[in-house]
Amino acid sequence: MADLLTLDEYRAIAAALDLPQNAFIDGTFRPAVSGKTFETVNPATGTVLTHVAACGAEDVDLAVSKARESFDDGRWSRLHPGERKDVLIRLCKLMTRNARELAVMESLDSGKTIYDCETVDIPEAIHVIKWHAELIDKIYDQVAPASDNHIAMVVREPVGVVGLVLPWNFPLLMLAWKIGPALAAGCSVVVKPAAETTLTALRLAELAHDAGLPRGVLNVVTGSGAGVGEPLGRHPDVDMVSFTGSTVTGRRFLHYSADSNLKEVVLELGGKNPCIVMDDAENLDAVAAHVVNGAFWNMGENCSAASRLIVHRDIKDALIERVKAHARGWIVGDPLDPQVRVGALVSKAHFEKVSGYLVTCKAETVLMGGAVVAEGFIEPTIVEAGRTSALATEEIFGPILTVIHVTSFDEAIAVANATDYGLAASIFTANGKRALRGARALRAGTVTVNSFGEGDITTPFGGYKQSGFGGRDNSIHAHDQYTQLKTIWLDLTDHADDSAD
Ligand code: NAP
Ligand code: MG
């Protein structure tokens, strides 16, 4: 882990940053064909950081054609896996060398705390790409059990040109989750970062170029969802789209695919994730630390945020006291201050959306917080709300924890499952059988027991129900998204004797 600097030192680095502005296509930075730009703002201060290329369909066409060219001529897709590994490992080294710059850039662009950028986002992004890189030359294909006269091979091939459409909450890390396996598999990619957070994706593309990634293999097209995301989703020459974002937008990609070329679509979507704490949970103080981390980490702008605390009535008050004590230690403020744990929400629009839920809180029982600290900043808030309240059902994506009490384990599971989402869930109980029964009964892609978390790079991540579609990120299973299976059937029958007759 990096040694953290002081606020003044981070400010000095921020002031000296050279911010990228142009899209990255075919190995070079280019303005939008239209010449248009949009402002990218530091949400902590409201100041304009720089102006970024506002690309459109014509830029998407160019990026896709360059990606296609690079895929078809095999400069990456048919490179020896060991050589692909070497390039990606070199990229990881360059990212490590530039980690501090990436962390400050990410914090400025998104409002995320420098603490998280330095300790999680950037090191994890490097770790994820390295993990997939090291995997490339250790994966074997299969030979099927055919007759003695045949050999049937089942081989994996890269799916082709891939569109990667990203959210703003973990800009570089989500990019790493997708380019790690996509590039490892040999695909060529066109990335559309969230308009709010384009800077680290552009910088990464430059580092990848410096690491020796051939031109055209990794393109970054900046712009809006309508201007870039939709043309990418509808493009007839894109073979697959991997998307992370809201369920509303994710659904559109299925339409785009159906209306165009039936491209593969993988969706990682939202969540309203339950955290169940039963009356036999051990060490409520340790549980409280997990609850606070689950709810308030990354300002609650986390698809797997544990935003519903489903707690047994008998321990509710004792647990809430401890949760409040831990939450008081989460300082709200300047994201560049290394002491701060709760930074700025990503944009004015998102801040206003989350502030609206604070108004909804007033009709319920606010147990802690409930106020705006300053424009862009909301304090950690805990509210006890009815089960049908918007606070208990809608994904808020802000630092608001909703408490619901129950009187039995079966009731806890039923409440936890009473949602259209199914991304993640946690159970705290000392009863091992109950924990396992619960883990099976919860309809979620990841269930953690006696902790909050998402697993790690070795475990698949994705959602049940309306939290996901078509595949998983992370682990070796992520490669399934970016590869397709081919059967090669060889007939070994010796016909030499036949012709001799
Ligand atoms: P979003 O609005 O769905 O945006 C995601 C991406 O889609 C952005 O790049 C966005 O572009 C683009 N987009 C927007 N409208 C589009 C359209 N009509 N056609 C094509 N592309 C379009 O989500 P967000 O607000 O960035 O992120 C927050 C959401 O992501 C939350 O709901 C959260 O739960 C979810 N999330 C899920 C996971 C997961 O792994 N399951 C991880 C992180 C976040 P713009 O930048 O122009 O808006
Ligand atoms: Mg920004």
Side-chain angles (χ1 to χ4, degrees), residues 40-43 49 108-110 195-198 346:
T40 193
V41 171
N42 176 351
L49 288 166
L108 288 178
D109 202 8
S110 66
E196 304 293 353
T197 52
T198 55
V346 72

Side-chain angles (χ1 to χ4, degrees), residues 165-170 174 177 192-196 223-226 229-230 243-247 249-250 252-253 256 268-271 302-303 395 397 423 461 467 473:
V165 182
L166 304 176
W168 41 253
N169 57 347
F170 293 91
M174 290 303 106
W177 276 24
K192 185 256 182 269
E196 304 293 353
S224 69
E230 179 163 353
F243 168 88
T244 293
S246 62
T247 300
T249 306
R252 290 174 182 262
F253 280 88
Y256 299 158
E268 299 288 356
L269 307 171
N302 180 10
C303 51
E395 182 181 50
F397 234 54
L423 190 57
F461 180 85
S467 286
D473 283 328

Side-chain angles (χ1 to χ4, degrees), residues 323-352:
V323 170
K324 283 158 75 170
H326 279 276
R328 278 186 215 107
W330 283 53
I331 302 165
V332 185
D334 184 345
L336 282 185
D337 181 341
Q339 306 296 321
V340 163
R341 291 293 170 278
V342 182
L345 295 181
V346 72
S347 63
K348 194 166 190 308
H350 188 58
F351 165 72
E352 279 163 9

Side-chain angles (χ1 to χ4, degrees), residues 374-403:
E375 170 92 15
F377 296 84
I378 289 176
E379 64 179 338
T381 294
I382 306 173
V383 59
E384 185 156 13
R387 294 177 189 189
T388 56
S389 155
L391 296 163
T393 56
E394 293 174 12
E395 182 181 50
I396 297 171
F397 234 54
I400 300 178
L401 172 64
T402 303
V403 180

